[in-house]
Amino acid sequence: MHELSVTQALLSIVLEHAEKAGAKRVVAVDLKVGEISGVVDDSVRLYFEFLSRDTPAAGARLHFTHVPARLVCHSCGSEFEPGEGEWLCPQCGATGGRIIAGRELMVESIEVE
Ligand SMILES: [Zn+2]
């Protein structure tokens, strides 16, 4: 369900840009997806196909770029990429931190005709 609303938001951004550019058709969409955004590429693809019917974005190719998670340690302030299921600061060994990347889901660019 999460991906449905997310994809709806993405599609409206894409259509808005296409309209501004005076495009007849959207050929491709580049998306940036954070590793910990909880978004599954295939679900977005499916929903996009479904939602974009009868819009200029119908049939557009989706391309996903994955952004790794990055944290800032609460205790020492160093930045690090957490390992699989393990959010330990490599500098001081503290657990967790503030997420500064990896949650994003955005339209990087679109290609129109
Ligand atoms: Zn630390």
Side-chain angles (χ1 to χ4, degrees), residues 48-67:
F48 193 90
E49 216 174 282
F50 170 72
L51 294 168
S52 65
R53 275 185 217 165
D54 306 319
T55 77
R61 271 178 289 119
L62 298 186
H63 180 255
F64 295 87
T65 304
H66 294 111
V67 183

Side-chain angles (χ1 to χ4, degrees), residues 73 76 78 89 92:
C73 175
C76 73
S78 56
C89 172
C92 71

Side-chain angles (χ1 to χ4, degrees), residues 3 32 65 78 103:
E3 276 96 346
K32 240 182 175 176
T65 304
S78 56
R103 264 187 175 155

Side-chain angles (χ1 to χ4, degrees), residues 72-78 80 88-94 96:
V72 174
C73 175
H74 283 314
S75 333
C76 73
S78 56
F80 62 100
L88 286 181
C89 172
Q91 293 301 320
C92 71

